[in-house]
Amino acid sequence: MMARRWRILRALLIAALALLLIAFCTGWYLLAGSRARLDGTRAAAGLSAPVSIGRDALGTVTFDGRSRADISYALGYVHAQERFFEMDLMRRMPAGELSALVGPAALKVDLNHRRHRLRAVAEAAYAQLPPAQKHALDRYRDGVNAGLADLRVRPWEYLLLGSQPQPWRSEDSVLVVASMYLDLNSDGRNERELRIAEMRAALPASLVDFLLSPDPDWEAPLSGRLSRSPVIPAAGVFDLRQFPPSTQPVALAAALAPALDAPRPGSNSFAVSSALTNTGAAMLANDMHLGLRVPNIWFRTRLRYPDASAPNGQREVNGVSLPGTPAMIVGSNGQIAWGFTNSYGDWQDWVRVTRDPVDPTRYKVPDGWANIETHDEHIQVKGQPDTVLKVEDTRWGPIMGKDTDGTPLALAWIGGRPHGYNIELLQLERTSDVDGALALAPTLGMPPQNLLVADSAGHIGWTIAGNSIPLREGIDPLLPSDWSKPGSGWQGWATPAHYPRIENPADGRLWTANNRTVDGAALALLGNGGHDLGARAQQIRDDLHGLASFTPGNLLDIQLDNRAVFLTRWQRLLQSTLADSTDPSLQQLRQLTASWRGRAAIDSVDYRLVRAFRTQVSEAALAPFAARVKQHYPDFSWPGENSAEAAVWAMIRQQPAQLLDPKYSDWHALLVAAAKQVASELGQLPGGLAARTWGERNRTDIKHPLSPALPHWLARYVDMPDQPLPGDNNMPRVAAPGFGASERLDVSPGHEADGVLDMPGGQSDNPLSPYFGAGHADWVEGRPTSLLPDTTEHTLTLMPAGS
């Protein structure tokens, strides 16, 4: 009997192992089948001539063709083979179509985005493009669909989701641009200005002005004066001693998070003229700060095709492309190098909508009454019935909120206008000098960005790129306004003559880091959509002035600068606060921060503790004001993209009694309480305060979009290794979990062989691809990777069909 049972058990075990082996082999076969083709020859309908597609060890793709149209086709083919799933997400996200693919988990995102009806906007934008641009998008579309069809197995993500990928359409490339509008324009919700309106409705105007003050201590504009120092309101204006102490610290801390420099899309870019190089050419650096994922948003690319305007008649462009579009985003063409940073101008306004009291389907406009357009948007949800969203649209934009008095608000947003989309960016590939690039900038259909350009003749320049800068009349751009009055609201678009520009500054240096760049009329034109505090830009500026001659390696060193200049005054404040303390935990805190290394290094304990002290002090100082606003508006949070550093530091230094939370006897008591909070929260973790390194908190956390839905043991095969990272906000090396430099480019046009291009996350989304995670380790360690491709390891040739 025992022998028989053993035989049965052994048979079952063998059968189970066989099933596991079959499942493993099937999974491997399917995963391997969705890898991109790397070698051989493939027929391609519509090509006018062969296109060679070469790859080096990092997966950098070199496209050699005889026309840009053929290159666009081949680019689409390769993008689809390596990145189709991510391209699909980038078209679905702005269109509000994610739920159809991944289910109800994405419904909230879809509801937010569908209000803008961006697919309709994209269709209208494509319809109005010039024929040449339509043709470029059509050729790219054809290449994408050919690349997708040429995979032996559909991309592995669709196998996991049980879905079929849908063909690419030309307007989908416009939607990819729309996804960048959302990412760079506060998700198209403009909550910042709603929060400012709530503050102004609940607090005195002079107090709000003080709390939202820019900080002249950290500003580093390219031109113009520094802002005025913040002015503390007198006790007669507002006095916290008349109110009870603030409570609900957890809720207030969450509401105050945006005030403490939370990670947000941005970038660094800087340039030096030929007076500061030894090549006779200027030099440019660019690192764009975005949410990071596997694979990276950008794609390492080199293009080669005939161009009569190029040196020797052959155009070569090196840099990164954006899968989903046929354009090179940043790079160098041998004559110019260019890079972008988010301008944080004001590209959204709330419009008060006055409904007709007799007929609420009408609303007041300058010439009388207009009908509200109603759209029933059907959002497909995988596994569930459609969700129907009713969208009410005005001539200014969709109704998306309410003013503090309950008046409906429509959102005017440049990303919701077909005017803001085109692929004129392709022309930068063929531009020969700084002057030409700056002249092209006002025509580019993209979110308005700081454009920095360096050329091979040694010139450098800055302007705003983007064709949609609204001309405002008769409104306060930071508060909801009535546009029904004649001549109010947006009265057209800025012309090239309106655009500020700087060329060849006397000191040969330019820099932008999402900070305020100009003042006066130029600032009034661009507006303030939440400029960065400026500490990062100031540190870059000072780094640039610290050298008299530069190489690409010197520019990379600046990009990797993790010195904590910004927190130095906070370290001194912590030391002076605890100088007389006899509390053992506070004495340890003072001891651990006394020797100030001043770097956001992964092994730095002092940096993490000082940073935590600043956070606690800021929360304690701002909490009573947030509490007053939340009494009227329970969902209030601090206006996003608006550091409160200037107000907090002014209160600490001047110690106004009328602005102190009554729970504290004086400002010193607030500082001590903040220090105790740090010692308590971090000291109770394993190893105590001495074990709290910055690297423990600041990790890479770069994951595949589907990783959260996978078991942990499986997710680690599609994610990047979770590693400690140096860097932080308010310094050139920006780094936070899942956020940071999406590339680091350092190049002198005409000298690309010396250039640097680092990139996280790799080229391919397939874990079996040799290019999955390629180059990621160099990005983590800050090791320079060559801009130019290395030796070609694989070559695929696309041939015209029938040739």
Side-chain angles (χ1 to χ4, degrees):
M1 179 65 74
M2 290 296 295
R4 183 169 178 271
R5 289 180 177 174
W6 169 245
R7 286 195 300 272
I8 293 173
L9 180 59
R10 184 175 61 181
L12 290 174
L13 287 172
I14 292 173
L17 289 173
L19 289 174
L20 286 173
L21 181 60
I22 291 170
F24 175 79
C25 291
T26 301
W28 189 276
Y29 173 82
L30 293 175
L31 190 58
S34 65
R35 287 182 299 183
R37 295 183 182 273
L38 303 182
D39 297 288
T41 301
R42 308 298 294 176
L47 284 183
S48 64
V51 178
S52 172
I53 301 170
R55 288 174 168 90
D56 71 350
L58 287 176
T60 305
V61 183
T62 298
F63 297 87
D64 272 298
R66 297 182 189 172
S67 71
R68 185 55 168 90
D70 284 349
I71 291 286
S72 293
Y73 180 100
L75 191 61
Y77 179 98
V78 171
H79 281 168
Q81 293 232 317
E82 298 281 19
R83 302 279 193 91
F84 188 83
F85 179 71
E86 290 72 29
M87 292 164 58
D88 195 7
L89 295 183
M90 288 193 74
R91 66 173 168 176
R92 287 177 179 271
M93 186 270 289
E97 298 171 356
L98 287 171
S99 298
L101 180 66
V102 303
L107 184 56
K108 183 178 179 180
V109 174
D110 281 351
L111 288 169
N112 284 334
H113 294 167
R114 186 65 74 89
R115 298 179 194 279
H116 296 292
R117 305 183 65 246
L118 288 173
R119 181 166 288 282
V121 172
E123 291 170 352
Y126 172 76
Q128 69 182 20
L129 289 177
Q133 293 191 30
K134 284 185 179 179
H135 180 67
L137 290 181
D138 293 347
R139 298 305 296 133
Y140 181 79
R141 172 204 64 201
D142 295 342
V144 169
N145 290 327
L148 180 63
D150 212 13
L151 290 171
R152 182 163 54 84
V153 178
R154 66 185 185 269
W156 66 269
E157 293 92 345
Y158 297 96
L159 298 172
L160 189 66
L161 293 168
S163 301
Q164 292 288 339
Q166 300 301 306
W168 196 259
R169 293 184 280 183
S170 296
E171 59 267 26
D172 289 341
S173 292
V174 180
L175 282 171
V176 172
V177 179
S179 73
M180 300 307 297
Y181 267 101
L182 287 169
D183 200 20
L184 299 171
N185 291 177
S186 305
D187 205 33
R189 291 185 293 176
N190 200 18
E191 285 195 7
R192 174 176 178 268
E193 291 181 7
L194 285 180
R195 303 311 179 199
I196 291 175
E198 290 171 347
M199 291 181 74
R200 293 203 176 279
L203 300 172
S206 61
L207 176 61
V208 178
D209 291 341
F210 167 69
L211 293 173
L212 300 181
S213 294
D215 195 335
D217 290 347
W218 297 111
E219 290 181 321
L222 290 176
S223 68
R225 299 177 180 179
L226 300 181
S227 300
R228 292 189 312 158
S229 297
V231 178
I232 293 177
V237 174
F238 185 81
D239 197 329
L240 281 173
R241 291 169 291 190
Q242 300 173 359
F243 301 96
S246 60
T247 56
Q248 300 178 316
V250 175
L252 290 176
L256 289 168
L260 301 175
D261 313 306
R264 56 177 176 154
S267 305
N268 299 330
S269 195
F270 42 100
V272 294
S273 72
S274 58
L276 301 172
T277 71
N278 59 9
T279 63
M283 197 175 296
L284 175 132
N286 181 243
D287 49 294
M288 296 180 282
H289 309 149
L290 298 168
L292 304 178
R293 58 166 170 78
V294 177
N296 191 32
I297 185 173
W298 313 119
F299 194 79
R300 299 178 67 105
T301 304
R302 174 165 67 175
L303 310 180
R304 288 172 167 170
Y305 56 92
D307 178 6
S309 67
N312 304 317
Q314 183 76 7
R315 178 65 63 191
E316 179 173 315
V317 189
N318 290 275
V320 297
S321 56
L322 173 60
T325 77
M328 295 290 283
I329 303 302
V330 300
S332 179
N333 69 4
Q335 294 174 296
I336 67 166
W338 69 95
F340 296 107
T341 66
N342 198 15
S343 62
Y344 279 99
D346 186 4
W347 316 125
Q348 306 174 83
D349 282 317
W350 288 108
V351 185
R352 290 171 59 87
V353 179
T354 303
R355 292 184 187 267
D356 184 345
V358 177
D359 181 359
T361 65
R362 303 198 309 167
Y363 66 103
K364 191 175 182 182
V365 295
D367 50 354
W369 298 95
N371 290 324
I372 293 175
E373 295 183 14
T374 301
H375 306 274
D376 288 333
E377 294 290 317
H378 289 256
I379 301 176
Q380 295 180 0
V381 183
K382 184 179 180 181
Q384 293 185 4
D386 289 1
T387 294
V388 180
L389 173 68
K390 182 180 179 180
V391 176
E392 291 187 303
D393 219 347
T394 71
R395 63 173 58 179
W396 306 303
I399 296 176
M400 292 181 58
K402 292 183 178 181
D403 203 351
T404 53
D405 63 357
T407 300
L409 295 177
L411 182 63
W413 174 44
I414 61 172
R417 310 290 178 95
H419 172 83
Y421 297 88
N422 62 47
I423 55 168
E424 198 70 19
L425 181 62
L426 289 171
Q427 297 304 315
L428 273 180
E429 295 176 15
R430 304 177 65 246
T431 302
S432 61
D433 55 31
V434 163
D435 187 64
L438 299 188
L440 183 67
T443 71
L444 304 184
M446 59 184 286
Q449 303 285 291
N450 292 300
L451 170 66
L452 237 59
V453 189
D455 69 24
S456 57
H459 307 297
I460 58 175
W462 164 87
T463 190
I464 296 294
N467 69 350
S468 296
I469 298 178
L471 295 175
R472 296 177 170 93
E473 294 290 344
I475 64 171
D476 181 342
L478 292 180
L479 291 175
S481 302
D482 180 3
W483 292 20
S484 67
K485 301 174 183 177
S488 64
W490 291 3
Q491 301 296 309
W493 305 105
T495 67
H498 289 105
Y499 281 60
R501 57 191 280 177
I502 297 172
E503 290 185 73
N504 299 318
D507 68 352
R509 299 167 174 88
L510 288 171
W511 59 90
T512 68
N514 316 121
N515 56 305
R516 176 175 68 83
T517 52
V518 291
D519 69 354
L523 179 59
L525 173 69
L526 304 179
N528 179 5
H531 294 131
D532 186 80
L533 175 66
R536 176 161 44 96
Q538 188 181 105
Q539 194 162 331
I540 291 170
R541 179 200 67 187
D542 294 346
D543 284 347
L544 289 173
H545 283 100
L547 290 176
S549 180
F550 293 85
T551 66
N554 297 135
L555 299 189
L556 179 62
D557 288 342
I558 295 175
Q559 291 172 320
L560 298 175
D561 181 4
N562 64 3
R563 291 178 303 118
V565 175
F566 172 71
L567 280 187
T568 297
R569 68 184 187 183
W570 286 93
Q571 183 265 348
R572 294 169 182 159
L573 177 65
L574 178 59
Q575 289 293 299
S576 63
T577 297
L578 303 182
D580 299 323
S581 176
T582 58
D583 184 313
S585 65
L586 296 185
Q587 288 180 331
Q588 184 189 25
L589 178 59
R590 188 172 193 270
Q591 180 183 11
L592 290 171
T593 56
S595 180
W596 179 238
R597 293 170 56 194
R599 287 189 177 273
I602 60 175
D603 62 346
S604 173
V605 173
D606 58 330
Y607 180 83
R608 183 175 180 183
L609 298 180
V610 171
R611 188 185 194 276
F613 174 66
R614 174 190 177 243
T615 297
Q616 294 294 340
V617 171
S618 299
E619 288 179 357
L622 298 173
F625 308 110
R628 300 285 82 74
V629 183
K630 285 179 76 69
Q631 285 180 348
H632 301 277
Y633 309 100
D635 294 332
F636 171 77
S637 60
W638 203 266
E641 293 87 37
N642 207 113
S643 171
E645 176 72 12
V648 171
W649 193 254
M651 287 188 285
I652 290 169
R653 304 313 296 169
Q654 300 181 44
Q655 302 191 359
Q658 72 274 17
L659 299 187
L660 176 67
D661 193 327
K663 70 194 297 184
Y664 305 106
S665 59
D666 54 32
W667 282 94
H668 180 73
L670 181 150
L671 297 176
V672 172
K676 286 183 177 179
Q677 190 76 10
V678 172
S680 173
E681 290 184 0
L682 297 183
Q684 65 185 351
L685 298 175
L689 284 179
R692 302 284 72 79
T693 64
W694 179 238
E696 178 188 52
R697 181 187 185 278
N698 207 48
R699 314 284 296 183
T700 50
D701 195 34
I702 300 175
K703 299 179 178 181
H704 187 279
L706 289 185
S707 170
L710 298 176
H712 176 71
W713 66 269
L714 186 57
R716 64 191 184 94
Y717 291 105
V718 299
D719 297 337
M720 292 297 101
D722 190 29
Q723 299 169 274
L725 269 183
D728 194 8
N729 303 318
N730 292 314
M731 61 182 60
R733 186 167 188 171
V734 170
F739 184 88
S742 58
E743 45 74 57
R744 298 187 191 106
L745 172 69
D746 306 285
V747 62
S748 184
H751 304 270
E752 285 76 12
D754 301 321
V756 174
L757 177 59
D758 283 353
M759 199 178 81
Q763 282 279 85
S764 175
D765 74 352
N766 192 302
L768 297 185
S769 168
Y771 307 124
F772 180 81
H776 178 79
D778 290 336
W779 176 86
V780 171
E781 298 298 330
R783 293 190 296 263
T785 301
S786 175
L787 167 63
L788 292 187
D790 206 341
T791 304
T792 300
E793 296 187 349
H794 298 278
T795 302
L796 175 70
T797 302
L798 299 183
M799 299 291 293
S803 63

